[in-house]
PDB file of all heavy atoms in Angstrom:
ATOM      1  N   ALA A1050       8.214 -57.077 -56.403  1.00  0.00           N
ATOM      2  CA  ALA A1050       8.605 -57.098 -57.816  1.00  0.00           C
ATOM      3  C   ALA A1050      10.156 -56.865 -57.909  1.00  0.00           C
ATOM      4  O   ALA A1050      10.680 -56.122 -57.026  1.00  0.00           O
ATOM      5  CB  ALA A1050       7.926 -55.943 -58.536  1.00  0.00           C
ATOM      6  N   GLY A1051      10.726 -57.493 -58.874  1.00  0.00           N
ATOM      7  CA  GLY A1051      12.123 -57.364 -59.120  1.00  0.00           C
ATOM      8  C   GLY A1051      12.833 -58.586 -58.593  1.00  0.00           C
ATOM      9  O   GLY A1051      14.154 -58.724 -58.847  1.00  0.00           O
ATOM     10  N   GLY A1052      12.287 -59.498 -57.893  1.00  0.00           N
ATOM     11  CA  GLY A1052      12.891 -60.759 -57.439  1.00  0.00           C
ATOM     12  C   GLY A1052      12.454 -61.914 -58.331  1.00  0.00           C
ATOM     13  O   GLY A1052      12.035 -61.782 -59.448  1.00  0.00           O
ATOM     14  N   SER A1053      12.543 -63.099 -57.698  1.00  0.00           N
ATOM     15  CA  SER A1053      12.249 -64.324 -58.397  1.00  0.00           C
ATOM     16  C   SER A1053      10.763 -64.687 -58.532  1.00  0.00           C
ATOM     17  O   SER A1053      10.402 -65.543 -59.311  1.00  0.00           O
ATOM     18  CB  SER A1053      12.984 -65.460 -57.827  1.00  0.00           C
ATOM     19  OG  SER A1053      12.294 -65.893 -56.554  1.00  0.00           O
ATOM     20  N   GLY A1054       9.925 -63.858 -57.788  1.00  0.00           N
ATOM     21  CA  GLY A1054       8.486 -64.090 -57.784  1.00  0.00           C
ATOM     22  C   GLY A1054       8.107 -64.863 -56.508  1.00  0.00           C
ATOM     23  O   GLY A1054       6.903 -64.872 -56.191  1.00  0.00           O
ATOM     24  N   MET A1055       8.981 -65.467 -55.805  1.00  0.00           N
ATOM     25  CA  MET A1055       8.789 -66.165 -54.538  1.00  0.00           C
ATOM     26  C   MET A1055       9.460 -65.213 -53.442  1.00  0.00           C
ATOM     27  O   MET A1055      10.017 -64.115 -53.706  1.00  0.00           O
ATOM     28  CB  MET A1055       9.241 -67.465 -54.498  1.00  0.00           C
ATOM     29  CG  MET A1055       8.506 -68.404 -55.475  1.00  0.00           C
ATOM     30  SD  MET A1055       6.825 -68.769 -54.949  1.00  0.00           S
ATOM     31  CE  MET A1055       7.168 -69.977 -53.636  1.00  0.00           C
ATOM     32  N   GLN A1056       9.555 -65.706 -52.166  1.00  0.00           N
ATOM     33  CA  GLN A1056      10.301 -65.032 -51.144  1.00  0.00           C
ATOM     34  C   GLN A1056      11.784 -65.024 -51.429  1.00  0.00           C
ATOM     35  O   GLN A1056      12.400 -66.042 -51.546  1.00  0.00           O
ATOM     36  CB  GLN A1056       9.978 -65.666 -49.825  1.00  0.00           C
ATOM     37  CG  GLN A1056       8.541 -65.595 -49.335  1.00  0.00           C
ATOM     38  CD  GLN A1056       8.190 -64.175 -48.724  1.00  0.00           C
ATOM     39  OE1 GLN A1056       9.055 -63.321 -48.530  1.00  0.00           O
ATOM     40  NE2 GLN A1056       6.894 -63.936 -48.696  1.00  0.00           N
ATOM     41  N   ASP A1057      12.339 -63.887 -51.601  1.00  0.00           N
ATOM     42  CA  ASP A1057      13.819 -63.669 -51.809  1.00  0.00           C
ATOM     43  C   ASP A1057      14.354 -62.863 -50.677  1.00  0.00           C
ATOM     44  O   ASP A1057      13.662 -62.280 -49.909  1.00  0.00           O
ATOM     45  CB  ASP A1057      14.008 -62.947 -53.105  1.00  0.00           C
ATOM     46  CG  ASP A1057      13.684 -63.802 -54.368  1.00  0.00           C
ATOM     47  OD1 ASP A1057      13.886 -64.958 -54.293  1.00  0.00           O
ATOM     48  OD2 ASP A1057      13.219 -63.231 -55.336  1.00  0.00           O
ATOM     49  N   ILE A1058      15.713 -62.918 -50.621  1.00  0.00           N
ATOM     50  CA  ILE A1058      16.400 -62.096 -49.573  1.00  0.00           C
ATOM     51  C   ILE A1058      16.794 -60.745 -50.222  1.00  0.00           C
ATOM     52  O   ILE A1058      17.428 -60.785 -51.245  1.00  0.00           O
ATOM     53  CB  ILE A1058      17.647 -62.886 -49.090  1.00  0.00           C
ATOM     54  CG1 ILE A1058      17.253 -64.184 -48.424  1.00  0.00           C
ATOM     55  CG2 ILE A1058      18.477 -61.987 -48.026  1.00  0.00           C
ATOM     56  CD1 ILE A1058      18.380 -65.092 -48.005  1.00  0.00           C
ATOM     57  N   TRP A1059      16.403 -59.735 -49.537  1.00  0.00           N
ATOM     58  CA  TRP A1059      16.683 -58.396 -49.898  1.00  0.00           C
ATOM     59  C   TRP A1059      17.592 -57.755 -48.909  1.00  0.00           C
ATOM     60  O   TRP A1059      17.667 -58.130 -47.762  1.00  0.00           O
ATOM     61  CB  TRP A1059      15.405 -57.581 -50.081  1.00  0.00           C
ATOM     62  CG  TRP A1059      14.518 -58.085 -51.218  1.00  0.00           C
ATOM     63  CD1 TRP A1059      13.815 -59.216 -51.216  1.00  0.00           C
ATOM     64  CD2 TRP A1059      14.312 -57.443 -52.453  1.00  0.00           C
ATOM     65  NE1 TRP A1059      13.133 -59.368 -52.468  1.00  0.00           N
ATOM     66  CE2 TRP A1059      13.490 -58.242 -53.279  1.00  0.00           C
ATOM     67  CE3 TRP A1059      14.834 -56.299 -53.080  1.00  0.00           C
ATOM     68  CZ2 TRP A1059      13.051 -57.957 -54.571  1.00  0.00           C
ATOM     69  CZ3 TRP A1059      14.468 -55.923 -54.396  1.00  0.00           C
ATOM     70  CH2 TRP A1059      13.489 -56.806 -55.104  1.00  0.00           C
ATOM     71  N   THR A1060      18.324 -56.679 -49.324  1.00  0.00           N
ATOM     72  CA  THR A1060      19.210 -55.992 -48.419  1.00  0.00           C
ATOM     73  C   THR A1060      19.176 -54.495 -48.648  1.00  0.00           C
ATOM     74  O   THR A1060      18.800 -54.051 -49.713  1.00  0.00           O
ATOM     75  CB  THR A1060      20.662 -56.510 -48.560  1.00  0.00           C
ATOM     76  OG1 THR A1060      21.508 -56.071 -47.541  1.00  0.00           O
ATOM     77  CG2 THR A1060      21.202 -56.230 -49.867  1.00  0.00           C
ATOM     78  N   ALA A1061      19.610 -53.788 -47.608  1.00  0.00           N
ATOM     79  CA  ALA A1061      19.735 -52.376 -47.677  1.00  0.00           C
ATOM     80  C   ALA A1061      20.828 -51.912 -46.647  1.00  0.00           C
ATOM     81  O   ALA A1061      21.181 -52.757 -45.821  1.00  0.00           O
ATOM     82  CB  ALA A1061      18.423 -51.559 -47.391  1.00  0.00           C
ATOM     83  N   SER A1062      21.344 -50.723 -46.862  1.00  0.00           N
ATOM     84  CA  SER A1062      22.398 -50.249 -45.881  1.00  0.00           C
ATOM     85  C   SER A1062      22.219 -48.853 -45.531  1.00  0.00           C
ATOM     86  O   SER A1062      21.358 -48.096 -46.026  1.00  0.00           O
ATOM     87  CB  SER A1062      23.808 -50.478 -46.567  1.00  0.00           C
ATOM     88  OG  SER A1062      23.787 -49.662 -47.793  1.00  0.00           O
ATOM     89  N   ARG A1063      23.015 -48.374 -44.547  1.00  0.00           N
ATOM     90  CA  ARG A1063      22.993 -47.027 -44.101  1.00  0.00           C
ATOM     91  C   ARG A1063      24.369 -46.598 -43.625  1.00  0.00           C
ATOM     92  O   ARG A1063      25.209 -47.526 -43.305  1.00  0.00           O
ATOM     93  CB  ARG A1063      21.998 -46.812 -42.978  1.00  0.00           C
ATOM     94  CG  ARG A1063      22.117 -47.781 -41.815  1.00  0.00           C
ATOM     95  CD  ARG A1063      20.982 -47.609 -40.814  1.00  0.00           C
ATOM     96  NE  ARG A1063      21.165 -48.557 -39.634  1.00  0.00           N
ATOM     97  CZ  ARG A1063      20.264 -48.688 -38.707  1.00  0.00           C
ATOM     98  NH1 ARG A1063      19.111 -47.928 -38.701  1.00  0.00           N
ATOM     99  NH2 ARG A1063      20.452 -49.595 -37.742  1.00  0.00           N
ATOM    100  N   THR A1064      24.665 -45.339 -43.564  1.00  0.00           N
ATOM    101  CA  THR A1064      26.059 -44.869 -43.113  1.00  0.00           C
ATOM    102  C   THR A1064      26.172 -44.748 -41.622  1.00  0.00           C
ATOM    103  O   THR A1064      27.275 -44.756 -41.141  1.00  0.00           O
ATOM    104  CB  THR A1064      26.380 -43.625 -43.822  1.00  0.00           C
ATOM    105  OG1 THR A1064      25.337 -42.601 -43.494  1.00  0.00           O
ATOM    106  CG2 THR A1064      26.409 -43.736 -45.372  1.00  0.00           C
ATOM    107  N   SER A1065      25.032 -44.681 -40.916  1.00  0.00           N
ATOM    108  CA  SER A1065      25.155 -44.624 -39.421  1.00  0.00           C
ATOM    109  C   SER A1065      23.864 -45.267 -38.924  1.00  0.00           C
ATOM    110  O   SER A1065      22.833 -45.358 -39.646  1.00  0.00           O
ATOM    111  CB  SER A1065      25.297 -43.206 -38.883  1.00  0.00           C
ATOM    112  OG  SER A1065      24.056 -42.588 -38.644  1.00  0.00           O
ATOM    113  N   THR A1066      23.860 -45.697 -37.680  1.00  0.00           N
ATOM    114  CA  THR A1066      22.713 -46.293 -37.155  1.00  0.00           C
ATOM    115  C   THR A1066      21.553 -45.337 -36.874  1.00  0.00           C
ATOM    116  O   THR A1066      20.429 -45.706 -36.458  1.00  0.00           O
ATOM    117  CB  THR A1066      23.017 -47.087 -35.901  1.00  0.00           C
ATOM    118  OG1 THR A1066      23.670 -46.156 -34.931  1.00  0.00           O
ATOM    119  CG2 THR A1066      23.956 -48.202 -36.155  1.00  0.00           C
ATOM    120  N   GLN A1067      21.846 -44.043 -36.958  1.00  0.00           N
ATOM    121  CA  GLN A1067      20.839 -42.984 -36.862  1.00  0.00           C
ATOM    122  C   GLN A1067      20.020 -42.769 -38.159  1.00  0.00           C
ATOM    123  O   GLN A1067      19.084 -42.045 -38.176  1.00  0.00           O
ATOM    124  CB  GLN A1067      21.404 -41.739 -36.376  1.00  0.00           C
ATOM    125  CG  GLN A1067      22.486 -41.807 -35.270  1.00  0.00           C
ATOM    126  CD  GLN A1067      21.990 -42.594 -34.079  1.00  0.00           C
ATOM    127  OE1 GLN A1067      20.843 -42.380 -33.565  1.00  0.00           O
ATOM    128  NE2 GLN A1067      22.903 -43.513 -33.603  1.00  0.00           N
ATOM    129  N   ASP A1068      20.554 -43.290 -39.253  1.00  0.00           N
ATOM    130  CA  ASP A1068      19.926 -43.028 -40.510  1.00  0.00           C
ATOM    131  C   ASP A1068      18.975 -44.119 -40.964  1.00  0.00           C
ATOM    132  O   ASP A1068      18.934 -45.244 -40.419  1.00  0.00           O
ATOM    133  CB  ASP A1068      21.051 -42.980 -41.615  1.00  0.00           C
ATOM    134  CG  ASP A1068      22.033 -41.884 -41.383  1.00  0.00           C
ATOM    135  OD1 ASP A1068      21.612 -40.826 -40.822  1.00  0.00           O
ATOM    136  OD2 ASP A1068      23.239 -42.116 -41.816  1.00  0.00           O
ATOM    137  N   ALA A1069      18.074 -43.742 -41.964  1.00  0.00           N
ATOM    138  CA  ALA A1069      17.282 -44.798 -42.569  1.00  0.00           C
ATOM    139  C   ALA A1069      18.075 -45.620 -43.504  1.00  0.00           C
ATOM    140  O   ALA A1069      19.102 -45.250 -44.055  1.00  0.00           O
ATOM    141  CB  ALA A1069      16.147 -44.047 -43.342  1.00  0.00           C
ATOM    142  N   PHE A1070      17.560 -46.841 -43.775  1.00  0.00           N
ATOM    143  CA  PHE A1070      18.225 -47.730 -44.738  1.00  0.00           C
ATOM    144  C   PHE A1070      17.913 -47.275 -46.136  1.00  0.00           C
ATOM    145  O   PHE A1070      16.869 -46.712 -46.368  1.00  0.00           O
ATOM    146  CB  PHE A1070      17.737 -49.221 -44.463  1.00  0.00           C
ATOM    147  CG  PHE A1070      18.228 -49.775 -43.258  1.00  0.00           C
ATOM    148  CD1 PHE A1070      17.488 -49.872 -42.112  1.00  0.00           C
ATOM    149  CD2 PHE A1070      19.570 -50.306 -43.192  1.00  0.00           C
ATOM    150  CE1 PHE A1070      17.946 -50.515 -40.980  1.00  0.00           C
ATOM    151  CE2 PHE A1070      20.061 -50.887 -41.999  1.00  0.00           C
ATOM    152  CZ  PHE A1070      19.224 -50.944 -40.914  1.00  0.00           C
ATOM    153  N   SER A1071      18.837 -47.492 -47.066  1.00  0.00           N
ATOM    154  CA  SER A1071      18.614 -47.171 -48.451  1.00  0.00           C
ATOM    155  C   SER A1071      19.345 -48.116 -49.401  1.00  0.00           C
ATOM    156  O   SER A1071      20.051 -49.039 -48.848  1.00  0.00           O
ATOM    157  CB  SER A1071      19.105 -45.673 -48.774  1.00  0.00           C
ATOM    158  OG  SER A1071      20.458 -45.589 -48.546  1.00  0.00           O
ATOM    159  N   GLY A1072      19.260 -47.900 -50.715  1.00  0.00           N
ATOM    160  CA  GLY A1072      19.864 -48.822 -51.701  1.00  0.00           C
ATOM    161  C   GLY A1072      19.311 -50.248 -51.674  1.00  0.00           C
ATOM    162  O   GLY A1072      20.052 -51.187 -51.732  1.00  0.00           O
ATOM    163  N   VAL A1073      17.982 -50.310 -51.583  1.00  0.00           N
ATOM    164  CA  VAL A1073      17.383 -51.602 -51.524  1.00  0.00           C
ATOM    165  C   VAL A1073      17.635 -52.420 -52.783  1.00  0.00           C
ATOM    166  O   VAL A1073      17.341 -51.965 -53.924  1.00  0.00           O
ATOM    167  CB  VAL A1073      15.787 -51.463 -51.280  1.00  0.00           C
ATOM    168  CG1 VAL A1073      15.075 -52.741 -51.386  1.00  0.00           C
ATOM    169  CG2 VAL A1073      15.509 -50.813 -49.935  1.00  0.00           C
TER     170      VAL A1073
END
């Protein structure tokens, strides 16, 4: 939900490679 209804490209980031991704 929140995209076009088909397969879309999503992204997230993190401040270090030890962290979980956020800001989807």
Side-chain angles (χ1 to χ4, degrees):
S1053 70
M1055 296 290 283
Q1056 294 285 343
D1057 291 322
I1058 300 174
W1059 294 73
T1060 187
S1062 59
R1063 56 188 178 183
T1064 56
S1065 91
T1066 55
Q1067 317 307 315
D1068 296 330
F1070 291 100
S1071 63
V1073 171

